[in-house]
Amino acid sequence: MAESRKSLYPSKWLSKASAGDRVACELRMRIISGEIESGSILSENKLAADFDVSRSPIREALKILASENIIRLERMGAVVIGLSEKEIEEIYDVRLLIESFVFERLVRIDTNELVMELCKILEMMKVSIKYKDADEFSYQDVLFHETIIRAANHSYILMIWNNLKPVMESFILLSMRMRLEEKYEDFARIIKNHELYIEAVKTKNRDLMIKSLHENFDDVQGKVEDLWMSQQMLSKGVIQQDEHDEQDD
Amino acid sequence: MAESRKSLYPSKWLSKASAGDRVACELRMRIISGEIESGSILSENKLAADFDVSRSPIREALKILASENIIRLERMGAVVIGLSEKEIEEIYDVRLLIESFVFERLVRIDTNELVMELCKILEMMKVSIKYKDADEFSYQDVLFHETIIRAANHSYILMIWNNLKPVMESFILLSMRMRLEEKYEDFARIIKNHELYIEAVKTKNRDLMIKSLHENFDDVQGKVEDLWMSQQMLSKGVIQQDEHDEQDD
DNA sequence: ATTATAATACTTGTATACAAGTATACTTGA
DNA sequence: TCAAGTATACTTGTATACAAGTATTATAAT
């Protein structure tokens, strides 16, 4: 049975990616969206048939997903872990941890250039909302935080970010798409929080940074939980609904 | 040219490992010891010939090392990054970060069982020193910290640890072997610091924990720097000296 | 001598083949 | 009916083959 459904992951982000990366991105989205349920067992051969590629890229994809902690490689097949509320909280723990660490570094260096860059990204985010482009908005949102983290120039913190990023990205992508449909007014608050964040970086105000970060997370975490769960419930229905407008990437 | 030198990585730790893992461990040791210099370019084909395996496990190994940030995968060949002082400091930054985070979690739960486990490991460490087994000591040292981190039951913090662990392990392994030769008295201090750490966990004394952790790191970091550099200089000579007592794993 | 072009040698990514091991199902014997 | 053993089907890890792309080198023309 070959693959011919609409992909969850934005295909234009995969322009230069290998088959392994594509498979990883798509599987990640399906796992995080809940389409592939926690506890399911993925078989290399079956996946190879489904995605219509050989086992090599599948193996690569599974290794990637295992390092991201959303699947577990066992003797027989890969067990899906997925993202429960606990994992989502944990991811935000880590983000808080590393962004706080980074901020401590930033207060000691010149951040003018960084602030400029962040403002640019914020503008992009605003435009994305204006044109209701959830994917682009997500991209810029992730880029915003990555830009801050890169500014600290700390390769091992960046390593942690790189490990976390794909899962974060998928989660944000799904949650932003959902908000666009159901909670459009949320975007204003997200923008506001990012403005506060920039202000904190500019004035090197530690408390303000923590505040904006927390509010941003509480927003994404606490308030969205219910929506998220409903989204997970919905996802299967949504996918099935999309099933007939088949369109390969 | 097939491989036939004494391996830097303890072969008994590889009992059930795949060829890819073996290659990764061995390459990691050579990179961290400085035998393979930063900036070198590794070729899949050449490595496959050197290690006398096919490209598949080599590819796997390179992916692993790239995710650990000690090599960089580029269009043509893998560029060795290695561990300079900066990277070593960064690793300890991250350890401090995650172990502090973990400690905050530990003060809220019952740590009796953990303390027991840590005492056991500490005893093991003492025995290892007594019999001058640097490799076993390193193993237990790494296990000590991993045990603490696991106790926090935080999958994403554990993920970070798992990413960091191989490089840490290699570094500790090399530095403990060196101490055994040149700085035997250091071990007493390391044991002392670990005792303090256990005490901190037992009494949930935040300051004591930070103190012991810092002293442990300053020890490994500051004081060892010069030794480390001399070790890096030495490594090539040492390897060559070992070259003639060939012994496959 | 210098530049443009072509040939070569290496690179990555993917497909496929195979060996060794492990779980599942199917016998066969009591 | 149930236990033990065997066969089968699936698993992972590794080797090998190949296509497409990229750098390097050699050659040829000016």
Side-chain angles (χ1 to χ4, degrees), chain A residues 18-20 53-57 60 76:
Chain A
S18 69
V53 292
S54 79
R55 265 183 60 221
S56 310
E60 196 192 315
M76 299 255 115

mmCIF file of all heavy atoms in Angstrom, chain A residues 18-20 53-57 60 76, chain C residues 13-19 21-23:
data_model
loop_
_atom_site.group_PDB
_atom_site.id
_atom_site.type_symbol
_atom_site.label_atom_id
_atom_site.label_comp_id
_atom_site.label_asym_id
_atom_site.label_seq_id
_atom_site.Cartn_x
_atom_site.Cartn_y
_atom_site.Cartn_z
ATOM 1 N N SER A 18 16.466 15.030 2.505
ATOM 2 C CA SER A 18 16.575 13.657 2.008
ATOM 3 C C SER A 18 15.282 12.914 2.318
ATOM 4 O O SER A 18 14.446 13.371 3.086
ATOM 5 C CB SER A 18 17.747 12.960 2.677
ATOM 6 O OG SER A 18 17.472 12.747 4.032
ATOM 7 N N ALA A 19 15.149 11.744 1.710
ATOM 8 C CA ALA A 19 13.952 10.934 1.948
ATOM 9 C C ALA A 19 13.821 10.607 3.438
ATOM 10 O O ALA A 19 12.727 10.629 3.993
ATOM 11 C CB ALA A 19 14.021 9.652 1.126
ATOM 12 N N GLY A 20 14.960 10.330 4.070
ATOM 13 C CA GLY A 20 14.946 10.028 5.496
ATOM 14 C C GLY A 20 14.381 11.173 6.305
ATOM 15 O O GLY A 20 13.542 10.978 7.199
ATOM 16 N N VAL A 53 9.569 3.944 0.038
ATOM 17 C CA VAL A 53 11.027 4.090 -0.036
ATOM 18 C C VAL A 53 11.635 2.808 0.534
ATOM 19 O O VAL A 53 10.920 1.944 1.030
ATOM 20 C CB VAL A 53 11.534 5.304 0.778
ATOM 21 C CG1 VAL A 53 11.084 6.601 0.157
ATOM 22 C CG2 VAL A 53 11.091 5.202 2.230
ATOM 23 N N SER A 54 12.942 2.710 0.459
ATOM 24 C CA SER A 54 13.592 1.503 0.982
ATOM 25 C C SER A 54 13.788 1.618 2.496
ATOM 26 O O SER A 54 13.459 2.633 3.102
ATOM 27 C CB SER A 54 14.939 1.295 0.315
ATOM 28 O OG SER A 54 15.906 2.132 0.891
ATOM 29 N N ARG A 55 14.336 0.589 3.082
ATOM 30 C CA ARG A 55 14.506 0.604 4.532
ATOM 31 C C ARG A 55 15.560 1.608 4.993
ATOM 32 O O ARG A 55 15.489 2.090 6.125
ATOM 33 C CB ARG A 55 14.885 -0.799 5.022
ATOM 34 C CG ARG A 55 13.694 -1.607 5.498
ATOM 35 C CD ARG A 55 14.152 -2.944 6.030
ATOM 36 N NE ARG A 55 15.055 -2.831 7.137
ATOM 37 C CZ ARG A 55 16.139 -3.571 7.320
ATOM 38 N NH1 ARG A 55 16.445 -4.495 6.462
ATOM 39 N NH2 ARG A 55 16.897 -3.394 8.368
ATOM 40 N N SER A 56 16.513 1.940 4.148
ATOM 41 C CA SER A 56 17.590 2.855 4.565
ATOM 42 C C SER A 56 17.075 4.185 5.103
ATOM 43 O O SER A 56 17.392 4.557 6.237
ATOM 44 C CB SER A 56 18.580 3.081 3.426
ATOM 45 O OG SER A 56 18.997 1.867 2.868
ATOM 46 N N PRO A 57 16.300 4.923 4.315
ATOM 47 C CA PRO A 57 15.790 6.189 4.860
ATOM 48 C C PRO A 57 14.863 5.984 6.052
ATOM 49 O O PRO A 57 14.829 6.829 6.956
ATOM 50 C CB PRO A 57 15.039 6.822 3.687
ATOM 51 C CG PRO A 57 15.008 5.828 2.609
ATOM 52 C CD PRO A 57 15.988 4.763 2.894
ATOM 53 N N GLU A 60 16.968 5.628 9.075
ATOM 54 C CA GLU A 60 17.480 6.950 9.421
ATOM 55 C C GLU A 60 16.414 7.742 10.180
ATOM 56 O O GLU A 60 16.683 8.314 11.231
ATOM 57 C CB GLU A 60 17.877 7.670 8.131
ATOM 58 C CG GLU A 60 18.763 8.878 8.334
ATOM 59 C CD GLU A 60 18.865 9.708 7.068
ATOM 60 O OE1 GLU A 60 19.048 9.112 5.988
ATOM 61 O OE2 GLU A 60 18.727 10.938 7.165
ATOM 62 N N MET A 76 12.049 -5.644 18.697
ATOM 63 C CA MET A 76 11.090 -5.865 17.620
ATOM 64 C C MET A 76 10.239 -4.616 17.415
ATOM 65 O O MET A 76 9.275 -4.380 18.131
ATOM 66 C CB MET A 76 10.157 -7.021 17.980
ATOM 67 C CG MET A 76 10.841 -8.346 18.183
ATOM 68 S SD MET A 76 10.606 -9.482 16.820
ATOM 69 C CE MET A 76 12.277 -9.639 16.203
ATOM 70 P P DG C 13 23.545 12.502 2.789
ATOM 71 O OP1 DG C 13 22.803 13.692 3.217
ATOM 72 O OP2 DG C 13 24.131 11.588 3.789
ATOM 73 O "O5'" DG C 13 22.604 11.633 1.839
ATOM 74 C "C5'" DG C 13 21.940 12.279 0.763
ATOM 75 C "C4'" DG C 13 21.206 11.237 -0.054
ATOM 76 O "O4'" DG C 13 22.177 10.369 -0.682
ATOM 77 C "C3'" DG C 13 20.291 10.332 0.761
ATOM 78 O "O3'" DG C 13 19.015 10.313 0.139
ATOM 79 C "C2'" DG C 13 20.967 8.964 0.723
ATOM 80 C "C1'" DG C 13 21.735 9.032 -0.579
ATOM 81 N N9 DG C 13 22.908 8.177 -0.656
ATOM 82 C C8 DG C 13 23.926 8.066 0.256
ATOM 83 N N7 DG C 13 24.847 7.196 -0.091
ATOM 84 C C5 DG C 13 24.400 6.703 -1.309
ATOM 85 C C6 DG C 13 24.968 5.741 -2.175
ATOM 86 O O6 DG C 13 26.013 5.103 -2.024
ATOM 87 N N1 DG C 13 24.189 5.538 -3.309
ATOM 88 C C2 DG C 13 23.012 6.196 -3.578
ATOM 89 N N2 DG C 13 22.393 5.876 -4.722
ATOM 90 N N3 DG C 13 22.471 7.102 -2.781
ATOM 91 C C4 DG C 13 23.210 7.300 -1.667
ATOM 92 P P DT C 14 17.808 9.658 0.860
ATOM 93 O OP1 DT C 14 16.621 10.448 0.544
ATOM 94 O OP2 DT C 14 18.178 9.363 2.251
ATOM 95 O "O5'" DT C 14 17.700 8.274 0.072
ATOM 96 C "C5'" DT C 14 17.459 8.314 -1.332
ATOM 97 C "C4'" DT C 14 17.642 6.944 -1.918
ATOM 98 O "O4'" DT C 14 19.010 6.523 -1.744
ATOM 99 C "C3'" DT C 14 16.788 5.851 -1.280
ATOM 100 O "O3'" DT C 14 15.778 5.507 -2.214
ATOM 101 C "C2'" DT C 14 17.765 4.687 -1.026
ATOM 102 C "C1'" DT C 14 19.030 5.118 -1.730
ATOM 103 N N1 DT C 14 20.306 4.716 -1.085
ATOM 104 C C2 DT C 14 21.109 3.816 -1.732
ATOM 105 O O2 DT C 14 20.808 3.316 -2.807
ATOM 106 N N3 DT C 14 22.271 3.504 -1.069
ATOM 107 C C4 DT C 14 22.696 3.997 0.141
ATOM 108 O O4 DT C 14 23.773 3.636 0.636
ATOM 109 C C5 DT C 14 21.815 4.942 0.768
ATOM 110 C C7 DT C 14 22.186 5.549 2.082
ATOM 111 C C6 DT C 14 20.669 5.253 0.132
ATOM 112 P P DA C 15 14.723 4.387 -1.873
ATOM 113 O OP1 DA C 15 13.525 4.671 -2.673
ATOM 114 O OP2 DA C 15 14.613 4.232 -0.413
ATOM 115 O "O5'" DA C 15 15.417 3.083 -2.473
ATOM 116 C "C5'" DA C 15 15.813 3.083 -3.834
ATOM 117 C "C4'" DA C 15 16.456 1.752 -4.196
ATOM 118 O "O4'" DA C 15 17.752 1.654 -3.570
ATOM 119 C "C3'" DA C 15 15.672 0.517 -3.761
ATOM 120 O "O3'" DA C 15 15.567 -0.352 -4.881
ATOM 121 C "C2'" DA C 15 16.502 -0.094 -2.635
ATOM 122 C "C1'" DA C 15 17.911 0.382 -2.974
ATOM 123 N N9 DA C 15 18.790 0.579 -1.820
ATOM 124 C C8 DA C 15 18.566 1.385 -0.741
ATOM 125 N N7 DA C 15 19.538 1.378 0.138
ATOM 126 C C5 DA C 15 20.469 0.501 -0.401
ATOM 127 C C6 DA C 15 21.728 0.053 0.055
ATOM 128 N N6 DA C 15 22.278 0.456 1.201
ATOM 129 N N1 DA C 15 22.396 -0.829 -0.725
ATOM 130 C C2 DA C 15 21.831 -1.232 -1.875
ATOM 131 N N3 DA C 15 20.657 -0.880 -2.405
ATOM 132 C C4 DA C 15 20.024 -0.009 -1.609
ATOM 133 P P DT C 16 14.609 -1.595 -4.805
ATOM 134 O OP1 DT C 16 14.143 -1.819 -6.176
ATOM 135 O OP2 DT C 16 13.654 -1.454 -3.686
ATOM 136 O "O5'" DT C 16 15.617 -2.781 -4.441
ATOM 137 C "C5'" DT C 16 16.819 -2.903 -5.193
ATOM 138 C "C4'" DT C 16 17.755 -3.901 -4.547
ATOM 139 O "O4'" DT C 16 18.437 -3.305 -3.423
ATOM 140 C "C3'" DT C 16 17.080 -5.163 -4.006
ATOM 141 O "O3'" DT C 16 17.747 -6.262 -4.592
ATOM 142 C "C2'" DT C 16 17.283 -5.083 -2.509
ATOM 143 C "C1'" DT C 16 18.594 -4.300 -2.443
ATOM 144 N N1 DT C 16 18.892 -3.620 -1.157
ATOM 145 C C2 DT C 16 20.120 -3.823 -0.571
ATOM 146 O O2 DT C 16 20.980 -4.530 -1.065
ATOM 147 N N3 DT C 16 20.327 -3.161 0.613
ATOM 148 C C4 DT C 16 19.435 -2.337 1.262
ATOM 149 O O4 DT C 16 19.735 -1.803 2.313
ATOM 150 C C5 DT C 16 18.160 -2.165 0.594
ATOM 151 C C7 DT C 16 17.123 -1.286 1.220
ATOM 152 C C6 DT C 16 17.955 -2.805 -0.560
ATOM 153 P P DA C 17 17.177 -7.741 -4.433
ATOM 154 O OP1 DA C 17 17.158 -8.353 -5.771
ATOM 155 O OP2 DA C 17 15.970 -7.740 -3.579
ATOM 156 O "O5'" DA C 17 18.375 -8.411 -3.610
ATOM 157 C "C5'" DA C 17 19.722 -8.175 -4.023
ATOM 158 C "C4'" DA C 17 20.658 -8.851 -3.042
ATOM 159 O "O4'" DA C 17 20.845 -7.987 -1.893
ATOM 160 C "C3'" DA C 17 20.128 -10.174 -2.494
ATOM 161 O "O3'" DA C 17 21.221 -11.067 -2.349
ATOM 162 C "C2'" DA C 17 19.543 -9.784 -1.144
ATOM 163 C "C1'" DA C 17 20.509 -8.686 -0.709
ATOM 164 N N9 DA C 17 19.947 -7.712 0.233
ATOM 165 C C8 DA C 17 18.735 -7.082 0.172
ATOM 166 N N7 DA C 17 18.507 -6.247 1.162
ATOM 167 C C5 DA C 17 19.665 -6.332 1.932
ATOM 168 C C6 DA C 17 20.059 -5.703 3.121
ATOM 169 N N6 DA C 17 19.310 -4.820 3.768
ATOM 170 N N1 DA C 17 21.282 -6.026 3.620
ATOM 171 C C2 DA C 17 22.027 -6.910 2.974
ATOM 172 N N3 DA C 17 21.763 -7.566 1.847
ATOM 173 C C4 DA C 17 20.553 -7.225 1.375
ATOM 174 P P DC C 18 20.943 -12.639 -2.140
ATOM 175 O OP1 DC C 18 21.772 -13.326 -3.131
ATOM 176 O OP2 DC C 18 19.491 -12.876 -2.052
ATOM 177 O "O5'" DC C 18 21.554 -12.913 -0.709
ATOM 178 C "C5'" DC C 18 22.824 -12.342 -0.367
ATOM 179 C "C4'" DC C 18 22.964 -12.271 1.133
ATOM 180 O "O4'" DC C 18 22.219 -11.147 1.654
ATOM 181 C "C3'" DC C 18 22.405 -13.514 1.867
ATOM 182 O "O3'" DC C 18 23.404 -13.992 2.728
ATOM 183 C "C2'" DC C 18 21.221 -12.970 2.644
ATOM 184 C "C1'" DC C 18 21.682 -11.544 2.901
ATOM 185 N N1 DC C 18 20.608 -10.598 3.289
ATOM 186 C C2 DC C 18 20.810 -9.782 4.422
ATOM 187 O O2 DC C 18 21.860 -9.881 5.046
ATOM 188 N N3 DC C 18 19.830 -8.915 4.786
ATOM 189 C C4 DC C 18 18.701 -8.839 4.070
ATOM 190 N N4 DC C 18 17.776 -7.964 4.460
ATOM 191 C C5 DC C 18 18.484 -9.654 2.919
ATOM 192 C C6 DC C 18 19.454 -10.513 2.569
ATOM 193 P P DA C 19 23.428 -15.550 3.098
ATOM 194 O OP1 DA C 19 24.388 -16.247 2.221
ATOM 195 O OP2 DA C 19 22.025 -16.018 3.186
ATOM 196 O "O5'" DA C 19 24.043 -15.518 4.568
ATOM 197 C "C5'" DA C 19 25.007 -14.518 4.910
ATOM 198 C "C4'" DA C 19 24.821 -14.109 6.361
ATOM 199 O "O4'" DA C 19 23.743 -13.144 6.472
ATOM 200 C "C3'" DA C 19 24.461 -15.264 7.298
ATOM 201 O "O3'" DA C 19 25.191 -15.111 8.492
ATOM 202 C "C2'" DA C 19 22.963 -15.069 7.532
ATOM 203 C "C1'" DA C 19 22.846 -13.558 7.496
ATOM 204 N N9 DA C 19 21.520 -13.029 7.142
ATOM 205 C C8 DA C 19 20.706 -13.432 6.122
ATOM 206 N N7 DA C 19 19.584 -12.757 6.051
ATOM 207 C C5 DA C 19 19.670 -11.857 7.084
ATOM 208 C C6 DA C 19 18.786 -10.846 7.545
ATOM 209 N N6 DA C 19 17.616 -10.582 6.976
ATOM 210 N N1 DA C 19 19.173 -10.121 8.612
ATOM 211 C C2 DA C 19 20.355 -10.382 9.182
ATOM 212 N N3 DA C 19 21.267 -11.303 8.835
ATOM 213 C C4 DA C 19 20.856 -12.002 7.776
ATOM 214 P P DG C 21 23.238 -15.863 15.686
ATOM 215 O OP1 DG C 21 24.360 -15.746 16.628
ATOM 216 O OP2 DG C 21 22.819 -17.174 15.124
ATOM 217 O "O5'" DG C 21 21.956 -15.178 16.343
ATOM 218 C "C5'" DG C 21 21.924 -13.756 16.500
ATOM 219 C "C4'" DG C 21 20.484 -13.293 16.610
ATOM 220 O "O4'" DG C 21 19.818 -13.458 15.335
ATOM 221 C "C3'" DG C 21 19.651 -14.076 17.632
ATOM 222 O "O3'" DG C 21 19.040 -13.154 18.517
ATOM 223 C "C2'" DG C 21 18.610 -14.793 16.792
ATOM 224 C "C1'" DG C 21 18.494 -13.890 15.584
ATOM 225 N N9 DG C 21 17.979 -14.538 14.388
ATOM 226 C C8 DG C 21 18.551 -15.573 13.679
ATOM 227 N N7 DG C 21 17.855 -15.931 12.636
ATOM 228 C C5 DG C 21 16.744 -15.076 12.658
ATOM 229 C C6 DG C 21 15.637 -15.000 11.778
ATOM 230 O O6 DG C 21 15.397 -15.676 10.777
ATOM 231 N N1 DG C 21 14.753 -13.996 12.166
ATOM 232 C C2 DG C 21 14.914 -13.181 13.259
ATOM 233 N N2 DG C 21 13.956 -12.273 13.480
ATOM 234 N N3 DG C 21 15.941 -13.242 14.083
ATOM 235 C C4 DG C 21 16.817 -14.215 13.726
ATOM 236 P P DT C 22 18.374 -13.663 19.868
ATOM 237 O OP1 DT C 22 18.748 -12.692 20.913
ATOM 238 O OP2 DT C 22 18.654 -15.109 20.012
ATOM 239 O "O5'" DT C 22 16.829 -13.477 19.559
ATOM 240 C "C5'" DT C 22 16.352 -12.186 19.156
ATOM 241 C "C4'" DT C 22 14.868 -12.269 18.850
ATOM 242 O "O4'" DT C 22 14.671 -12.904 17.564
ATOM 243 C "C3'" DT C 22 14.049 -13.084 19.856
ATOM 244 O "O3'" DT C 22 12.870 -12.358 20.130
ATOM 245 C "C2'" DT C 22 13.749 -14.368 19.103
ATOM 246 C "C1'" DT C 22 13.632 -13.841 17.686
ATOM 247 N N1 DT C 22 13.816 -14.829 16.585
ATOM 248 C C2 DT C 22 12.894 -14.850 15.565
ATOM 249 O O2 DT C 22 11.941 -14.101 15.502
ATOM 250 N N3 DT C 22 13.142 -15.799 14.592
ATOM 251 C C4 DT C 22 14.188 -16.703 14.554
ATOM 252 O O4 DT C 22 14.298 -17.505 13.630
ATOM 253 C C5 DT C 22 15.105 -16.621 15.670
ATOM 254 C C7 DT C 22 16.268 -17.554 15.717
ATOM 255 C C6 DT C 22 14.881 -15.699 16.620
ATOM 256 P P DA C 23 12.020 -12.644 21.426
ATOM 257 O OP1 DA C 23 12.000 -11.416 22.245
ATOM 258 O OP2 DA C 23 12.475 -13.926 21.995
ATOM 259 O "O5'" DA C 23 10.569 -12.842 20.809
ATOM 260 C "C5'" DA C 23 9.913 -11.711 20.243
ATOM 261 C "C4'" DA C 23 8.890 -12.188 19.222
ATOM 262 O "O4'" DA C 23 9.519 -13.122 18.312
ATOM 263 C "C3'" DA C 23 7.677 -12.901 19.814
ATOM 264 O "O3'" DA C 23 6.517 -12.327 19.254
ATOM 265 C "C2'" DA C 23 7.871 -14.366 19.396
ATOM 266 C "C1'" DA C 23 8.655 -14.213 18.098
ATOM 267 N N9 DA C 23 9.508 -15.357 17.761
ATOM 268 C C8 DA C 23 10.556 -15.857 18.477
ATOM 269 N N7 DA C 23 11.161 -16.882 17.899
ATOM 270 C C5 DA C 23 10.455 -17.059 16.729
ATOM 271 C C6 DA C 23 10.589 -17.982 15.675
ATOM 272 N N6 DA C 23 11.528 -18.936 15.643
ATOM 273 N N1 DA C 23 9.715 -17.884 14.639
ATOM 274 C C2 DA C 23 8.781 -16.924 14.672
ATOM 275 N N3 DA C 23 8.554 -16.005 15.610
ATOM 276 C C4 DA C 23 9.436 -16.126 16.621
#
